Amino acid sequence: MTTGSPTPGVTRSAHEIARAVRNGDESALSVLQEHLEAIGSIDGEVHAFITLLDDQARSDAAEVDRRVAAGEDPGPLAGVPVALKDNLCTSGVPTTCASHILGSWRPPYDATVVERVRAAGAVIVGKTNMDEFAMGSSTETSAFGPTCNPLDLSRVPGGSSGGSAAAVAAGMVPLALGSDTGGSVRQPAAYCGVVGVKPTYGAVSRYGLVAFASSLDQVGPIARSVADAALLLDVIGGHDALDSTSLDRPPSRYAESLCLLDAGGHAPGEELVAGLHVGIVEELVAGADPLVARSVRAAAESLASYGATVDDVSIPELAYGLPAYYLIAPAEASSNLARYDGVRYGSRVDGPDVEAMNRATRAAGFGDEVKRRIMLGTYALSAGYYDAYYGKAQRVRTLIIDAFSAAYQRFDVLLGATAPTTAFPMGAKVDDPLSMYLSDVCTVPSSLAGHPAISVPFGRAEDGLPAGVQVLAPALGESVMLKVAAAVEAAGASIAPEPK
Amino acid sequence: MSAGLDQPAERAGLTGSAALTSEVAAYVARLARIELSAGELDRFAKQLGAVLEHASQVNALDTGDVEPTAHPLPLRNVLRKDEPRPSLERDAVLAEAPASEDGCFKVPRILAEER
């Protein structure tokens, strides 16, 4: 069906691995070995990783095994191999953002999410490929070359967290972290047939996540099931004093509530969604390829059969999400990326004075897409244009938030496509930035509102590639969002079994 | 050299329409401190012009009495306890810099010589 599919990887869930390691039934070292072998046989073709951390992973796994032997509990992710997008700072380990401008920079500290994942007993196996500075929707703007979609090597894995999504989809790791500014976790998850979560803005610490657009960036989990994604979300979420936009809330226990429902076999869809009011958002379906739109409709029908009330809803303001996003995100990026000036870290190209050095360094270090975004943002913020572009976009952002609020008066969750198409061919959009940007049209509205959203695969579209269904919820609505997503997942698995 | 950075947008040709000339692109590239070739300026101007045209769709919405949103959370000042705690090691930070001297970041000269 697909061309050049590589060797199948490991398919066991994070829940299963952590249970076996905590019980002492299996060593973290043998789990790691199995996954490193999968990476060895698959990643030559897929290129999901920029940096592999075999040695550090082996010593971390040995430490997990030592703790189990000593009767300690290493934590909810005991021995689970995890991959990190390469814009998450790892102490002493290169963090490239897939850019030449950072050179061989090794951060002197760990991101909060990295500390938390490790403290939960996970074993970090490597840093994954991405669009340069998370700017892109295909992982083709990486300075280290593209990642291939493991389901069809001639297609993109989506982006910008394409390496993380591909690593999970190919069975090289059960869990990965990505970052989502305008859809960068959800869209690659959809293209690779896995689950990706963009949490509520402020639910997960951004400390140590290299900044792109600070009012939009959130770290999110990628997994092969909703329950596994929830498990990782529980570990990374919660207040962090090092991020002033971190919400002061106790840690979540989403995985537990999903798994309790799972105790007697499979989660009955009725227990997950009966009585809920679900809205299918016309603006998030109408523009989508019929292959994808059909999956969203079918997922909604399944929810209705489980006892949810499903209605169509139109939210016209969402159509302005994309143009507003492509003014706001580049504006914030142009400011955030001013720090790459050849002074404090990364590479430098010398010049006769400091400004010439800055210009030459940035010309040599940034790729085309990053230059375009910085230019766009600088333009939108420049004197005489601020009100017409950036100011206007910020007002449109308010209208989008208000329109969502009105919809959530009626609906518990909203449903739409994650992306308008399935994974597109490599090279199809690299020279046409606007057409590339249009692949974010369904994911940016929740980002602008700071709301949570999740992409769940729902079978395969007629082209043989997975179609992502997006479940959107109001701020801090992760609990209901994950339950609906679990019901969509269960229904998708029953109508369209994964090809073996 | 840096005098150009104070130049008003109008004098650099920033007026009215969303169309982006390569002269405007050159002005923006200078503001952003990115050295670009004539070919790059021409290509970026065309690509960014198309994006700006799409972005100007936001003008279809009436936002007369709508407050701008800078941030999805209700903004408030966040204070922490004023307790001393260790910062990053200076040597570890400077070790990652392209050039350093006497505990400082080192850069090429900033002020032009007298002429």
Side-chain angles (χ1 to χ4, degrees), chain A residues 100-137:
Chain A
H100 286 312
I101 207 159
L102 276 162
S104 57
W105 181 61
R106 288 161 196 265
Y109 61 96
D110 275 330
T112 296
V113 292
V114 173
E115 269 180 9
R116 287 184 182 180
V117 161
R118 199 171 266 138
V123 173
I124 293 167
V125 297
K127 308 290 296 288
T128 58
N129 200 15
M130 54 186 280
D131 282 297
E132 185 178 0
F133 282 103
M135 297 175 188
S137 311

PDB file of all heavy atoms in Angstrom, chain A residues 100-137:
ATOM      1  N   HIS A 100      21.667  26.191  12.112  1.00  0.00           N
ATOM      2  CA  HIS A 100      23.121  26.332  12.177  1.00  0.00           C
ATOM      3  C   HIS A 100      23.536  27.451  13.128  1.00  0.00           C
ATOM      4  O   HIS A 100      24.659  27.479  13.592  1.00  0.00           O
ATOM      5  CB  HIS A 100      23.688  26.611  10.788  1.00  0.00           C
ATOM      6  CG  HIS A 100      23.684  25.408   9.894  1.00  0.00           C
ATOM      7  ND1 HIS A 100      24.163  24.183  10.312  1.00  0.00           N
ATOM      8  CD2 HIS A 100      23.260  25.228   8.625  1.00  0.00           C
ATOM      9  CE1 HIS A 100      24.031  23.297   9.334  1.00  0.00           C
ATOM     10  NE2 HIS A 100      23.474  23.909   8.296  1.00  0.00           N
ATOM     11  N   ILE A 101      22.604  28.365  13.422  1.00  0.00           N
ATOM     12  CA  ILE A 101      23.036  29.529  14.201  1.00  0.00           C
ATOM     13  C   ILE A 101      23.399  29.164  15.640  1.00  0.00           C
ATOM     14  O   ILE A 101      24.185  29.859  16.277  1.00  0.00           O
ATOM     15  CB  ILE A 101      21.989  30.671  14.172  1.00  0.00           C
ATOM     16  CG1 ILE A 101      22.706  32.015  14.379  1.00  0.00           C
ATOM     17  CG2 ILE A 101      20.883  30.463  15.202  1.00  0.00           C
ATOM     18  CD1 ILE A 101      21.960  33.219  13.907  1.00  0.00           C
ATOM     19  N   LEU A 102      22.859  28.054  16.151  1.00  0.00           N
ATOM     20  CA  LEU A 102      23.210  27.660  17.510  1.00  0.00           C
ATOM     21  C   LEU A 102      24.515  26.862  17.565  1.00  0.00           C
ATOM     22  O   LEU A 102      25.012  26.556  18.650  1.00  0.00           O
ATOM     23  CB  LEU A 102      22.055  26.905  18.175  1.00  0.00           C
ATOM     24  CG  LEU A 102      21.025  27.854  18.788  1.00  0.00           C
ATOM     25  CD1 LEU A 102      19.700  27.155  19.051  1.00  0.00           C
ATOM     26  CD2 LEU A 102      21.548  28.472  20.073  1.00  0.00           C
ATOM     27  N   GLY A 103      25.067  26.534  16.377  1.00  0.00           N
ATOM     28  CA  GLY A 103      26.345  25.825  16.336  1.00  0.00           C
ATOM     29  C   GLY A 103      26.328  24.595  17.209  1.00  0.00           C
ATOM     30  O   GLY A 103      25.406  23.787  17.133  1.00  0.00           O
ATOM     31  N   SER A 104      27.331  24.466  18.083  1.00  0.00           N
ATOM     32  CA  SER A 104      27.386  23.285  18.949  1.00  0.00           C
ATOM     33  C   SER A 104      26.976  23.645  20.375  1.00  0.00           C
ATOM     34  O   SER A 104      27.419  23.047  21.335  1.00  0.00           O
ATOM     35  CB  SER A 104      28.796  22.717  18.942  1.00  0.00           C
ATOM     36  OG  SER A 104      29.691  23.732  19.359  1.00  0.00           O
ATOM     37  N   TRP A 105      26.090  24.649  20.496  1.00  0.00           N
ATOM     38  CA  TRP A 105      25.672  25.138  21.816  1.00  0.00           C
ATOM     39  C   TRP A 105      25.151  24.019  22.718  1.00  0.00           C
ATOM     40  O   TRP A 105      24.330  23.199  22.304  1.00  0.00           O
ATOM     41  CB  TRP A 105      24.568  26.199  21.649  1.00  0.00           C
ATOM     42  CG  TRP A 105      24.098  26.768  22.955  1.00  0.00           C
ATOM     43  CD1 TRP A 105      24.838  27.446  23.859  1.00  0.00           C
ATOM     44  CD2 TRP A 105      22.761  26.735  23.470  1.00  0.00           C
ATOM     45  NE1 TRP A 105      24.052  27.839  24.920  1.00  0.00           N
ATOM     46  CE2 TRP A 105      22.772  27.403  24.702  1.00  0.00           C
ATOM     47  CE3 TRP A 105      21.552  26.188  23.007  1.00  0.00           C
ATOM     48  CZ2 TRP A 105      21.634  27.553  25.499  1.00  0.00           C
ATOM     49  CZ3 TRP A 105      20.421  26.332  23.795  1.00  0.00           C
ATOM     50  CH2 TRP A 105      20.462  27.010  25.026  1.00  0.00           C
ATOM     51  N   ARG A 106      25.670  23.989  23.924  1.00  0.00           N
ATOM     52  CA  ARG A 106      25.196  23.037  24.936  1.00  0.00           C
ATOM     53  C   ARG A 106      24.616  23.854  26.088  1.00  0.00           C
ATOM     54  O   ARG A 106      25.355  24.549  26.780  1.00  0.00           O
ATOM     55  CB  ARG A 106      26.350  22.173  25.458  1.00  0.00           C
ATOM     56  CG  ARG A 106      26.825  21.156  24.452  1.00  0.00           C
ATOM     57  CD  ARG A 106      28.228  20.649  24.791  1.00  0.00           C
ATOM     58  NE  ARG A 106      28.808  19.985  23.631  1.00  0.00           N
ATOM     59  CZ  ARG A 106      28.750  18.659  23.432  1.00  0.00           C
ATOM     60  NH1 ARG A 106      28.203  17.874  24.326  1.00  0.00           N
ATOM     61  NH2 ARG A 106      29.277  18.143  22.351  1.00  0.00           N
ATOM     62  N   PRO A 107      23.303  23.759  26.299  1.00  0.00           N
ATOM     63  CA  PRO A 107      22.689  24.563  27.364  1.00  0.00           C
ATOM     64  C   PRO A 107      23.269  24.206  28.727  1.00  0.00           C
ATOM     65  O   PRO A 107      23.553  23.033  28.986  1.00  0.00           O
ATOM     66  CB  PRO A 107      21.204  24.164  27.316  1.00  0.00           C
ATOM     67  CG  PRO A 107      20.999  23.480  26.015  1.00  0.00           C
ATOM     68  CD  PRO A 107      22.323  22.912  25.607  1.00  0.00           C
ATOM     69  N   PRO A 108      23.438  25.198  29.599  1.00  0.00           N
ATOM     70  CA  PRO A 108      23.923  24.895  30.947  1.00  0.00           C
ATOM     71  C   PRO A 108      22.797  24.480  31.910  1.00  0.00           C
ATOM     72  O   PRO A 108      23.017  24.433  33.117  1.00  0.00           O
ATOM     73  CB  PRO A 108      24.578  26.210  31.377  1.00  0.00           C
ATOM     74  CG  PRO A 108      23.930  27.267  30.565  1.00  0.00           C
ATOM     75  CD  PRO A 108      23.375  26.634  29.332  1.00  0.00           C
ATOM     76  N   TYR A 109      21.606  24.204  31.383  1.00  0.00           N
ATOM     77  CA  TYR A 109      20.505  23.780  32.266  1.00  0.00           C
ATOM     78  C   TYR A 109      19.496  22.947  31.480  1.00  0.00           C
ATOM     79  O   TYR A 109      19.492  22.956  30.254  1.00  0.00           O
ATOM     80  CB  TYR A 109      19.797  24.997  32.883  1.00  0.00           C
ATOM     81  CG  TYR A 109      19.159  25.917  31.866  1.00  0.00           C
ATOM     82  CD1 TYR A 109      17.813  25.798  31.548  1.00  0.00           C
ATOM     83  CD2 TYR A 109      19.901  26.894  31.201  1.00  0.00           C
ATOM     84  CE1 TYR A 109      17.232  26.630  30.602  1.00  0.00           C
ATOM     85  CE2 TYR A 109      19.330  27.733  30.269  1.00  0.00           C
ATOM     86  CZ  TYR A 109      17.988  27.591  29.972  1.00  0.00           C
ATOM     87  OH  TYR A 109      17.416  28.399  29.038  1.00  0.00           O
ATOM     88  N   ASP A 110      18.635  22.223  32.233  1.00  0.00           N
ATOM     89  CA  ASP A 110      17.557  21.429  31.644  1.00  0.00           C
ATOM     90  C   ASP A 110      16.268  22.233  31.640  1.00  0.00           C
ATOM     91  O   ASP A 110      15.983  22.962  32.596  1.00  0.00           O
ATOM     92  CB  ASP A 110      17.281  20.180  32.503  1.00  0.00           C
ATOM     93  CG  ASP A 110      18.203  19.014  32.172  1.00  0.00           C
ATOM     94  OD1 ASP A 110      18.635  18.904  31.012  1.00  0.00           O
ATOM     95  OD2 ASP A 110      18.469  18.213  33.093  1.00  0.00           O
ATOM     96  N   ALA A 111      15.445  22.064  30.593  1.00  0.00           N
ATOM     97  CA  ALA A 111      14.085  22.595  30.621  1.00  0.00           C
ATOM     98  C   ALA A 111      13.328  21.925  31.764  1.00  0.00           C
ATOM     99  O   ALA A 111      13.628  20.784  32.130  1.00  0.00           O
ATOM    100  CB  ALA A 111      13.385  22.306  29.297  1.00  0.00           C
ATOM    101  N   THR A 112      12.335  22.620  32.323  1.00  0.00           N
ATOM    102  CA  THR A 112      11.539  22.039  33.410  1.00  0.00           C
ATOM    103  C   THR A 112      10.895  20.716  32.971  1.00  0.00           C
ATOM    104  O   THR A 112      10.897  19.738  33.720  1.00  0.00           O
ATOM    105  CB  THR A 112      10.454  23.038  33.867  1.00  0.00           C
ATOM    106  OG1 THR A 112      11.112  24.187  34.415  1.00  0.00           O
ATOM    107  CG2 THR A 112       9.531  22.420  34.911  1.00  0.00           C
ATOM    108  N   VAL A 113      10.362  20.661  31.754  1.00  0.00           N
ATOM    109  CA  VAL A 113       9.714  19.414  31.306  1.00  0.00           C
ATOM    110  C   VAL A 113      10.726  18.270  31.215  1.00  0.00           C
ATOM    111  O   VAL A 113      10.379  17.110  31.470  1.00  0.00           O
ATOM    112  CB  VAL A 113       8.975  19.580  29.953  1.00  0.00           C
ATOM    113  CG1 VAL A 113       7.768  20.497  30.097  1.00  0.00           C
ATOM    114  CG2 VAL A 113       9.893  20.055  28.835  1.00  0.00           C
ATOM    115  N   VAL A 114      11.970  18.595  30.885  1.00  0.00           N
ATOM    116  CA  VAL A 114      13.002  17.555  30.790  1.00  0.00           C
ATOM    117  C   VAL A 114      13.302  17.013  32.189  1.00  0.00           C
ATOM    118  O   VAL A 114      13.371  15.799  32.407  1.00  0.00           O
ATOM    119  CB  VAL A 114      14.278  18.112  30.121  1.00  0.00           C
ATOM    120  CG1 VAL A 114      15.409  17.094  30.165  1.00  0.00           C
ATOM    121  CG2 VAL A 114      13.972  18.532  28.676  1.00  0.00           C
ATOM    122  N   GLU A 115      13.447  17.924  33.153  1.00  0.00           N
ATOM    123  CA  GLU A 115      13.660  17.499  34.546  1.00  0.00           C
ATOM    124  C   GLU A 115      12.526  16.607  35.034  1.00  0.00           C
ATOM    125  O   GLU A 115      12.741  15.598  35.685  1.00  0.00           O
ATOM    126  CB  GLU A 115      13.697  18.733  35.463  1.00  0.00           C
ATOM    127  CG  GLU A 115      15.067  19.296  35.658  1.00  0.00           C
ATOM    128  CD  GLU A 115      15.034  20.525  36.571  1.00  0.00           C
ATOM    129  OE1 GLU A 115      13.977  20.817  37.177  1.00  0.00           O
ATOM    130  OE2 GLU A 115      16.082  21.194  36.650  1.00  0.00           O
ATOM    131  N   ARG A 116      11.290  17.001  34.700  1.00  0.00           N
ATOM    132  CA  ARG A 116      10.129  16.252  35.199  1.00  0.00           C
ATOM    133  C   ARG A 116      10.033  14.872  34.563  1.00  0.00           C
ATOM    134  O   ARG A 116       9.682  13.891  35.232  1.00  0.00           O
ATOM    135  CB  ARG A 116       8.842  17.052  34.943  1.00  0.00           C
ATOM    136  CG  ARG A 116       8.764  18.239  35.887  1.00  0.00           C
ATOM    137  CD  ARG A 116       7.476  19.009  35.768  1.00  0.00           C
ATOM    138  NE  ARG A 116       7.559  20.153  36.686  1.00  0.00           N
ATOM    139  CZ  ARG A 116       6.616  21.058  36.852  1.00  0.00           C
ATOM    140  NH1 ARG A 116       5.484  20.961  36.168  1.00  0.00           N
ATOM    141  NH2 ARG A 116       6.774  22.045  37.700  1.00  0.00           N
ATOM    142  N   VAL A 117      10.318  14.795  33.265  1.00  0.00           N
ATOM    143  CA  VAL A 117      10.261  13.507  32.578  1.00  0.00           C
ATOM    144  C   VAL A 117      11.290  12.551  33.181  1.00  0.00           C
ATOM    145  O   VAL A 117      11.011  11.383  33.454  1.00  0.00           O
ATOM    146  CB  VAL A 117      10.491  13.719  31.058  1.00  0.00           C
ATOM    147  CG1 VAL A 117      10.890  12.431  30.378  1.00  0.00           C
ATOM    148  CG2 VAL A 117       9.247  14.308  30.412  1.00  0.00           C
ATOM    149  N   ARG A 118      12.500  13.096  33.426  1.00  0.00           N
ATOM    150  CA  ARG A 118      13.556  12.257  34.001  1.00  0.00           C
ATOM    151  C   ARG A 118      13.215  11.862  35.432  1.00  0.00           C
ATOM    152  O   ARG A 118      13.401  10.708  35.834  1.00  0.00           O
ATOM    153  CB  ARG A 118      14.888  13.021  33.934  1.00  0.00           C
ATOM    154  CG  ARG A 118      16.077  12.132  34.056  1.00  0.00           C
ATOM    155  CD  ARG A 118      17.364  12.868  33.772  1.00  0.00           C
ATOM    156  NE  ARG A 118      17.783  12.750  32.387  1.00  0.00           N
ATOM    157  CZ  ARG A 118      18.275  13.759  31.686  1.00  0.00           C
ATOM    158  NH1 ARG A 118      18.379  14.955  32.206  1.00  0.00           N
ATOM    159  NH2 ARG A 118      18.660  13.559  30.448  1.00  0.00           N
ATOM    160  N   ALA A 119      12.659  12.797  36.206  1.00  0.00           N
ATOM    161  CA  ALA A 119      12.302  12.497  37.598  1.00  0.00           C
ATOM    162  C   ALA A 119      11.190  11.452  37.681  1.00  0.00           C
ATOM    163  O   ALA A 119      11.032  10.797  38.708  1.00  0.00           O
ATOM    164  CB  ALA A 119      11.868  13.779  38.317  1.00  0.00           C
ATOM    165  N   ALA A 120      10.433  11.292  36.592  1.00  0.00           N
ATOM    166  CA  ALA A 120       9.361  10.289  36.591  1.00  0.00           C
ATOM    167  C   ALA A 120       9.880   8.920  36.161  1.00  0.00           C
ATOM    168  O   ALA A 120       9.098   7.987  35.991  1.00  0.00           O
ATOM    169  CB  ALA A 120       8.232  10.744  35.653  1.00  0.00           C
ATOM    170  N   GLY A 121      11.199   8.808  35.966  1.00  0.00           N
ATOM    171  CA  GLY A 121      11.793   7.515  35.654  1.00  0.00           C
ATOM    172  C   GLY A 121      11.995   7.242  34.175  1.00  0.00           C
ATOM    173  O   GLY A 121      12.453   6.160  33.789  1.00  0.00           O
ATOM    174  N   ALA A 122      11.660   8.210  33.312  1.00  0.00           N
ATOM    175  CA  ALA A 122      11.821   7.990  31.873  1.00  0.00           C
ATOM    176  C   ALA A 122      13.299   8.003  31.489  1.00  0.00           C
ATOM    177  O   ALA A 122      14.135   8.546  32.204  1.00  0.00           O
ATOM    178  CB  ALA A 122      11.081   9.071  31.090  1.00  0.00           C
ATOM    179  N   VAL A 123      13.584   7.385  30.361  1.00  0.00           N
ATOM    180  CA  VAL A 123      14.942   7.327  29.841  1.00  0.00           C
ATOM    181  C   VAL A 123      14.970   8.111  28.524  1.00  0.00           C
ATOM    182  O   VAL A 123      14.305   7.740  27.560  1.00  0.00           O
ATOM    183  CB  VAL A 123      15.366   5.858  29.604  1.00  0.00           C
ATOM    184  CG1 VAL A 123      16.716   5.790  28.911  1.00  0.00           C
ATOM    185  CG2 VAL A 123      15.393   5.101  30.930  1.00  0.00           C
ATOM    186  N   ILE A 124      15.708   9.226  28.523  1.00  0.00           N
ATOM    187  CA  ILE A 124      15.729  10.086  27.331  1.00  0.00           C
ATOM    188  C   ILE A 124      16.715   9.510  26.316  1.00  0.00           C
ATOM    189  O   ILE A 124      17.906   9.376  26.602  1.00  0.00           O
ATOM    190  CB  ILE A 124      16.081  11.528  27.726  1.00  0.00           C
ATOM    191  CG1 ILE A 124      14.919  12.094  28.569  1.00  0.00           C
ATOM    192  CG2 ILE A 124      16.328  12.398  26.497  1.00  0.00           C
ATOM    193  CD1 ILE A 124      15.214  13.361  29.296  1.00  0.00           C
ATOM    194  N   VAL A 125      16.197   9.155  25.130  1.00  0.00           N
ATOM    195  CA  VAL A 125      17.050   8.475  24.145  1.00  0.00           C
ATOM    196  C   VAL A 125      17.633   9.420  23.108  1.00  0.00           C
ATOM    197  O   VAL A 125      18.611   9.075  22.445  1.00  0.00           O
ATOM    198  CB  VAL A 125      16.316   7.320  23.418  1.00  0.00           C
ATOM    199  CG1 VAL A 125      15.920   6.245  24.397  1.00  0.00           C
ATOM    200  CG2 VAL A 125      15.108   7.825  22.654  1.00  0.00           C
ATOM    201  N   GLY A 126      17.040  10.604  22.935  1.00  0.00           N
ATOM    202  CA  GLY A 126      17.627  11.491  21.941  1.00  0.00           C
ATOM    203  C   GLY A 126      16.799  12.724  21.686  1.00  0.00           C
ATOM    204  O   GLY A 126      15.718  12.909  22.253  1.00  0.00           O
ATOM    205  N   LYS A 127      17.351  13.580  20.807  1.00  0.00           N
ATOM    206  CA  LYS A 127      16.731  14.847  20.444  1.00  0.00           C
ATOM    207  C   LYS A 127      16.261  14.739  18.986  1.00  0.00           C
ATOM    208  O   LYS A 127      17.023  14.306  18.120  1.00  0.00           O
ATOM    209  CB  LYS A 127      17.761  15.984  20.577  1.00  0.00           C
ATOM    210  CG  LYS A 127      18.487  16.046  21.928  1.00  0.00           C
ATOM    211  CD  LYS A 127      17.618  16.468  23.102  1.00  0.00           C
ATOM    212  CE  LYS A 127      17.067  17.874  23.032  1.00  0.00           C
ATOM    213  NZ  LYS A 127      18.031  18.957  23.253  1.00  0.00           N
ATOM    214  N   THR A 128      15.035  15.173  18.747  1.00  0.00           N
ATOM    215  CA  THR A 128      14.452  14.917  17.432  1.00  0.00           C
ATOM    216  C   THR A 128      14.483  16.118  16.495  1.00  0.00           C
ATOM    217  O   THR A 128      14.525  17.275  16.910  1.00  0.00           O
ATOM    218  CB  THR A 128      12.981  14.459  17.575  1.00  0.00           C
ATOM    219  OG1 THR A 128      12.251  15.464  18.260  1.00  0.00           O
ATOM    220  CG2 THR A 128      12.893  13.139  18.323  1.00  0.00           C
ATOM    221  N   ASN A 129      14.413  15.779  15.214  1.00  0.00           N
ATOM    222  CA  ASN A 129      14.451  16.765  14.136  1.00  0.00           C
ATOM    223  C   ASN A 129      13.165  17.595  14.119  1.00  0.00           C
ATOM    224  O   ASN A 129      12.111  17.164  14.612  1.00  0.00           O
ATOM    225  CB  ASN A 129      14.622  16.039  12.803  1.00  0.00           C
ATOM    226  CG  ASN A 129      15.152  16.944  11.711  1.00  0.00           C
ATOM    227  OD1 ASN A 129      15.659  18.040  11.966  1.00  0.00           O
ATOM    228  ND2 ASN A 129      15.031  16.497  10.471  1.00  0.00           N
ATOM    229  N   MET A 130      13.261  18.771  13.528  1.00  0.00           N
ATOM    230  CA  MET A 130      12.150  19.732  13.558  1.00  0.00           C
ATOM    231  C   MET A 130      12.363  20.758  12.460  1.00  0.00           C
ATOM    232  O   MET A 130      13.456  20.863  11.911  1.00  0.00           O
ATOM    233  CB  MET A 130      12.119  20.423  14.919  1.00  0.00           C
ATOM    234  CG  MET A 130      13.457  21.073  15.297  1.00  0.00           C
ATOM    235  SD  MET A 130      13.483  21.759  16.976  1.00  0.00           S
ATOM    236  CE  MET A 130      12.623  23.310  16.686  1.00  0.00           C
ATOM    237  N   ASP A 131      11.343  21.528  12.150  1.00  0.00           N
ATOM    238  CA  ASP A 131      11.560  22.685  11.315  1.00  0.00           C
ATOM    239  C   ASP A 131      12.420  23.673  12.114  1.00  0.00           C
ATOM    240  O   ASP A 131      12.268  23.791  13.335  1.00  0.00           O
ATOM    241  CB  ASP A 131      10.224  23.340  10.943  1.00  0.00           C
ATOM    242  CG  ASP A 131       9.520  22.584   9.828  1.00  0.00           C
ATOM    243  OD1 ASP A 131      10.076  22.523   8.721  1.00  0.00           O
ATOM    244  OD2 ASP A 131       8.417  22.054  10.069  1.00  0.00           O
ATOM    245  N   GLU A 132      13.293  24.386  11.406  1.00  0.00           N
ATOM    246  CA  GLU A 132      14.214  25.305  12.076  1.00  0.00           C
ATOM    247  C   GLU A 132      13.446  26.274  12.989  1.00  0.00           C
ATOM    248  O   GLU A 132      12.525  26.955  12.543  1.00  0.00           O
ATOM    249  CB  GLU A 132      15.028  26.094  11.042  1.00  0.00           C
ATOM    250  CG  GLU A 132      16.081  26.976  11.698  1.00  0.00           C
ATOM    251  CD  GLU A 132      16.948  27.739  10.686  1.00  0.00           C
ATOM    252  OE1 GLU A 132      16.744  27.590   9.469  1.00  0.00           O
ATOM    253  OE2 GLU A 132      17.826  28.500  11.143  1.00  0.00           O
ATOM    254  N   PHE A 133      13.824  26.291  14.258  1.00  0.00           N
ATOM    255  CA  PHE A 133      13.169  27.124  15.278  1.00  0.00           C
ATOM    256  C   PHE A 133      11.653  26.913  15.312  1.00  0.00           C
ATOM    257  O   PHE A 133      10.893  27.808  15.682  1.00  0.00           O
ATOM    258  CB  PHE A 133      13.508  28.618  15.107  1.00  0.00           C
ATOM    259  CG  PHE A 133      14.867  28.961  15.633  1.00  0.00           C
ATOM    260  CD1 PHE A 133      15.933  29.163  14.767  1.00  0.00           C
ATOM    261  CD2 PHE A 133      15.102  29.039  16.999  1.00  0.00           C
ATOM    262  CE1 PHE A 133      17.199  29.439  15.256  1.00  0.00           C
ATOM    263  CE2 PHE A 133      16.365  29.321  17.500  1.00  0.00           C
ATOM    264  CZ  PHE A 133      17.417  29.521  16.620  1.00  0.00           C
ATOM    265  N   ALA A 134      11.215  25.722  14.914  1.00  0.00           N
ATOM    266  CA  ALA A 134       9.790  25.325  14.937  1.00  0.00           C
ATOM    267  C   ALA A 134       8.962  26.100  13.912  1.00  0.00           C
ATOM    268  O   ALA A 134       7.740  26.159  14.030  1.00  0.00           O
ATOM    269  CB  ALA A 134       9.194  25.464  16.344  1.00  0.00           C
ATOM    270  N   MET A 135       9.630  26.688  12.909  1.00  0.00           N
ATOM    271  CA  MET A 135       8.913  27.459  11.896  1.00  0.00           C
ATOM    272  C   MET A 135       8.766  26.627  10.635  1.00  0.00           C
ATOM    273  O   MET A 135       9.678  26.560   9.800  1.00  0.00           O
ATOM    274  CB  MET A 135       9.673  28.745  11.598  1.00  0.00           C
ATOM    275  CG  MET A 135       9.760  29.640  12.822  1.00  0.00           C
ATOM    276  SD  MET A 135      10.772  31.063  12.503  1.00  0.00           S
ATOM    277  CE  MET A 135      10.860  31.757  14.157  1.00  0.00           C
ATOM    278  N   GLY A 136       7.585  26.008  10.518  1.00  0.00           N
ATOM    279  CA  GLY A 136       7.341  25.180   9.349  1.00  0.00           C
ATOM    280  C   GLY A 136       6.305  24.137   9.671  1.00  0.00           C
ATOM    281  O   GLY A 136       5.928  23.955  10.838  1.00  0.00           O
ATOM    282  N   SER A 137       5.816  23.459   8.636  1.00  0.00           N
ATOM    283  CA  SER A 137       4.748  22.483   8.810  1.00  0.00           C
ATOM    284  C   SER A 137       5.101  21.163   8.137  1.00  0.00           C
ATOM    285  O   SER A 137       4.227  20.379   7.802  1.00  0.00           O
ATOM    286  CB  SER A 137       3.451  23.038   8.201  1.00  0.00           C
ATOM    287  OG  SER A 137       3.220  24.357   8.664  1.00  0.00           O
TER     288      SER A 137
END
